[in-house]
Amino acid sequence: MNENEIKHVIFKILKRIAPESDPSTLAPDENIRKTLDIDSFDALNFFIGLDEEMGVTVPESDYGKLNTLSEIIPYLSSRIG
Amino acid sequence: MTNDVMQKLTYREAVREAIREAMKKDDRVFLMGEDVGRYGGCFAVSKGLLEDFGPTRIRDTPLSESGFVGAGIGAALGGMRPIVEVMTVNFSLLAADQIINNAAAYLHMSGGLFNVPIVIRMATGGGRQLAAQHSRSLEGWYAHIPGIKVLSPATVEDARGMLWTALEDPDPVLIFENAGLYNMEGMLPPDIGPVDIDKARIRREGKDISIISYSASLFKSLDAAEILAKEGIEAEVIDLRTLRPLDETTFLDSVARTHRALIVDEGWRSGSISAEISSRIMESAFYELDAPVERLCSAEVPLPYARHLEEAALPQVNKIAALVKKMVGTHG
Amino acid sequence: MAEFRMPSLGSDMLEGTLVEWLVKPGDRVKRRDAVAVVETDKAAIEIEVYEEGIIETILAQPGQKIAVGAIMAVIRTEAGKKAETPEKATLKDASQLLAEGASVPAEDKEKKLPSIPEVEARRIKVSPYARRLAAERSVDLSTIAGTGPDGAIGATDVERTTATVITQPAEKAPPTPIEETPREASQKEAPPAAPAAERHAAKDYQTAMRRAIAAAMARSKREIPHYYLQMRLDMSSTLRWLESENLKRPIKNRILPVVPLIKGVSLALRDVPELNGYWIDDRHQISEAINLGFVIALRQGGLIAPAILNADEKCLDELMDAMRDLIVRTRSGGLRSSEMTDATVTVTNLGDLGVETVYGVIYPPQVALIGFGKTMEQPWAENGMLGVRPILMATLAADHRATDGHRGAQFLDALNRHLQEPSNL
């Protein structure tokens, strides 16, 4: 899975959680939770989505490190089997 | 002046002309009250009459309402036709004993022997920044008393025509002139004669609601009806003219057509003439009602002096329009 | 026979628009079945039935605006086989309804005396003139939705009914004239009435919700003398316990920190029940059930606070599931009427965005609202030692007519106590 494909999956999950939003307009360093107005339930659903779509289980302790696309994409690509 | 030329007259002039005509027609008629002679009347109603009729028929009195109203009752019992001017309804409280205990009761207590054909005129109403003690609207209160008639001419025509009819009445008649109306102008035919004092009038026809009012509130109601007409609400506006005896036929018939009633009354709402009208509608037109009867009255406070507070306390055009809109609701 | 009436889905609701029926005549229904979808100012809600029986007649049509308390359908119940006409039932007054309530079987009684009694026991209001008109024109008043104040039926409602009865075959437009929508477009589509109404509802949805919130919140600030108490809660033990619990779980079953807070509130309300209930008609009504309204913000603006029913009886997993489910259904539509009306207290959590302290506005006729801010590491002195702890500011906004500060303090103290023993939650 290359970076673009990962980004595509992330957008798909975000779109499911926040249908009114347009995740493709997110800048790499933008805080996703704040920009898309995502609460803790949405965030959990996002991580569940990553688990289901890519098989990456994010431990709770890493939640705080994953705020922007530029943080999430390398994190995922290093963990996809 | 020919008969077909209309004459422009203020309410004040209309009252004056009515007095003048009565004085000319019947030499038993005389005018008595504080400052009515040399000063020309507190509201300038009787200006010039002293010159025309002399001090025996235009009589200045001391500041003693109980005294000169009592003297008027005596004169009436003695065969005269006195017009007694009490400067304002506020001061009539000093003469309340004469009016209520004497004038109103004599015919009854004398076993039908003595009528008291007195006419008592007084100014009433608020809205002129004269504060609580000079702004009362107590005509509804007098309408509580059997034995007297209570008139409240709103139009120039009624100001001109009611006096003679009142003088011809064998019993005491109180005429309440809203001081805010004295400068109002109206067009009258010069040969205008006396008018009846026992029927209310529909001043504007409409099918959606009956606004029942009298005196100065009549014009606020008519203005509100004008605004409402632009929004498609046709309000019928009734001028009661006489508060006692109350012509209920006119407003009951109106409510039977419109199915809604709003009473606009400058008096306070508790124990008021508006309460009386509301009761009669409930008693006699309940099955015609499509909405509860509503009342717009003055706030239950001594009328404030400050202009904005006084305006807020009195019924106003915008309040009438808003209330009607609420009552007519999803109409149409 | 029983009438199925438009329920009140909030103290500020006057009417709702019927979107669709989920049942048809002849269908058998039981208690708590969802029978229709109604669009209110807040959301599309599935409304439930509280009778067992068979749908006899359906009176309201999709697209129609229906006043609270107006009859939407007639249900043939097992008990009421003796044919009683709906009109006769309509004319019953409230006292009669209550008197009957005394003699009906227990299950029925629950319907007659629900948690907010003022709503269901409401009789249909008809103006005297409208009643006379209806008699003259042989109109069944129970089939009319009133548009007057408090949903009263006025003469125009009767007139409109007789007018639509006559013209019905020609045009099946919704009875209340709404603004013009492109006619040709809606006529090409199969059912003509519903899409127009829906489009209208969607367009004005935001405004309507804003108005509903405005009405409720203005009433709250106008009528409720709020008092506020706040307490700093040391969340160390709760979070430590939660972290170890979540480590054991697959990601799908992880529990969010707000869940123990909700459970803590529910248990504290058992200890201090005075904060759980309503203030209605100058009377404090304590609720036995703890139905916890949870404020869910909508991204496009506005909020809905559906209830987690019997929150105190649910374990953390059940609460997590319930909340997840509520959030999905709140944002996608499909809340049920009981969830909209039954909340006995409200919790709002604004910590996600970093808010420290929440001063809440109580949702009338409830008597309390609990607010949570963000859990933040802060200096915390204890036993003469200074440490850094995760601290959460919990606030209570409570109705001073119903309770006093002392009760409020007891509640916050109880909340703190429960959160310090997370394994018992």
Side-chain angles (χ1 to χ4, degrees), chain B residues 56-82:
Chain B
T56 46
R57 295 188 72 192
I58 305 293
R59 303 181 72 96
D60 278 321
T61 66
L63 295 180
S64 173
E65 283 78 6
S66 180
F68 66 79
V69 173
I73 293 169
L77 285 168
M80 301 297 281
R81 291 292 179 270

Side-chain angles (χ1 to χ4, degrees), chain A residues 17-18 20 36-37 39-42 44-45 47-48 51-52 58-60 63, chain C residues 242-243 246 251-252 254-256 258 294 299-300 320 323-324 327 331 352-353:
Chain A
I17 293 167
E20 332 54 12
L36 300 188
D37 196 4
D39 65 19
S40 48
F41 276 89
D42 296 328
L44 180 60
N45 286 333
F47 291 121
I48 291 172
D51 185 49
E52 283 170 348
V58 181
E60 240 182 352
Y63 284 3
Chain C
L242 194 62
E243 199 179 334
N246 278 342
I251 186 161
K252 278 192 135 160
R254 279 183 198 161
I255 293 169
L256 288 169
V258 68
F294 181 66
R299 272 188 206 89
Q300 62 271 33
M320 182 71 196
M323 291 172 77
R324 202 200 316 261
I327 291 174
R331 290 185 175 158
D352 278 350
L353 285 170

Side-chain angles (χ1 to χ4, degrees), chain C residues 332-359:
Chain C
S332 64
L335 286 173
R336 298 167 71 93
S337 48
S338 55
E339 292 165 339
M340 285 300 290
T341 53
D342 288 358
T344 53
V345 67
T346 300
V347 172
T348 183
N349 173 29
L350 289 174
D352 278 350
L353 285 170
V355 165
E356 279 183 54
T357 313
V358 179
Y359 298 102

Side-chain angles (χ1 to χ4, degrees), chain A residues 22-42:
Chain A
D22 184 4
S24 60
T25 60
L26 279 170
D29 288 324
E30 225 171 338
N31 184 309
I32 298 176
R33 289 178 69 148
K34 286 189 177 158
T35 307
L36 300 188
D37 196 4
I38 279 177
D39 65 19
S40 48
F41 276 89
D42 296 328

Side-chain angles (χ1 to χ4, degrees), chain C residues 41 201-211 298 300-302:
Chain C
D41 290 346
K203 198 170 140 204
D204 278 357
Y205 182 79
Q206 283 299 87
T207 343
M209 176 181 287
R210 218 48 263 169
R211 255 203 311 267
L298 304 179
Q300 62 271 33

Side-chain angles (χ1 to χ4, degrees), chain C residues 291-334:
Chain C
N291 300 332
L292 197 141
F294 181 66
V295 176
I296 297 171
L298 304 179
R299 272 188 206 89
Q300 62 271 33
L303 58 85
I304 296 179
I308 305 166
L309 304 179
N310 303 309
D312 57 322
E313 292 167 11
K314 291 187 163 63
C315 70
L316 294 183
D317 286 308
E318 288 168 338
L319 276 179
M320 182 71 196
D321 286 345
M323 291 172 77
R324 202 200 316 261
D325 172 51
L326 276 182
I327 291 174
V328 170
R329 282 190 294 117
T330 299
R331 290 185 175 158
S332 64

Side-chain angles (χ1 to χ4, degrees), chain B residues 1 61 73 114 118 122 164 168 177 200 202 210 245 249 309 322:
Chain B
M1 222 181 269
T61 66
I73 293 169
F114 302 127
I118 187 176
M122 48 186 120
W164 181 253
E168 286 195 309
E177 298 159 9
I202 293 168
S210 303
T249 313
L309 292 178

